[in-house]
Amino acid sequence: MPGNTSKRYPAELKARAVRLYHECRPDQPTDWAAMGHVANLLGISTAETLRKWVRQDEIDHGSRTGTSSEESAEIKRLKRENAELRRANAILKAASVFFAAELDRPGL
């Protein structure tokens, strides 16, 4: 079932899975094997899901380059705010056009 895994898996499970991955990684031959092992233990649909969580955790802790979760949340908030301001601006423009037309109209 493709889609946003943040809705399917609670944050506590994600944190536990990442922690378990780091704990069991030395005992596994590859990163992928460790991810598969933890995914099977915790009932995570695929090791790829866990891989994304691990990579994001590395970004959040500064050991990998990329957009942190905090930065992503801020960008999302700013995009929402920008869209809201654009809607408000469009309403104000429409209102000013309406009232300007009313001023130009001869009185009844």
Side-chain angles (χ1 to χ4, degrees):
M1 175 182 210
N4 189 348
T5 60
S6 66
K7 292 184 173 111
R8 282 192 276 161
Y9 298 106
E12 298 81 23
L13 177 67
K14 291 179 185 181
R16 182 174 177 215
V18 170
R19 183 178 44 78
L20 282 173
Y21 161 77
H22 288 295
E23 289 174 2
C24 83
R25 174 58 189 104
D27 302 333
Q28 299 292 327
T30 65
D31 287 348
W32 191 250
M35 289 174 192
H37 176 71
V38 172
N40 286 337
L41 281 175
L42 298 179
I44 298 168
S45 59
T46 66
E48 175 63 14
T49 299
L50 179 55
R51 185 192 70 77
K52 290 178 182 178
W53 296 345
V54 169
R55 297 302 180 254
Q56 189 61 53
D57 183 66
E58 291 170 349
I59 291 168
D60 290 347
H61 287 92
S63 59
R64 181 179 285 267
T65 60
T67 305
S68 71
S69 297
E70 188 176 295
E71 291 168 332
S72 292
E74 178 70 3
I75 290 168
K76 188 176 180 180
R77 184 191 68 76
L78 290 170
K79 284 183 176 182
R80 232 183 356 257
E81 183 179 324
N82 194 8
E84 184 179 320
L85 290 170
R86 286 179 190 272
R87 282 190 297 274
N89 200 17
I91 291 168
L92 290 172
K93 282 182 183 178
S96 69
V97 167
F98 174 78
F99 287 118
E102 286 294 312
L103 289 175
D104 291 340
R105 195 170 173 206
L108 293 176

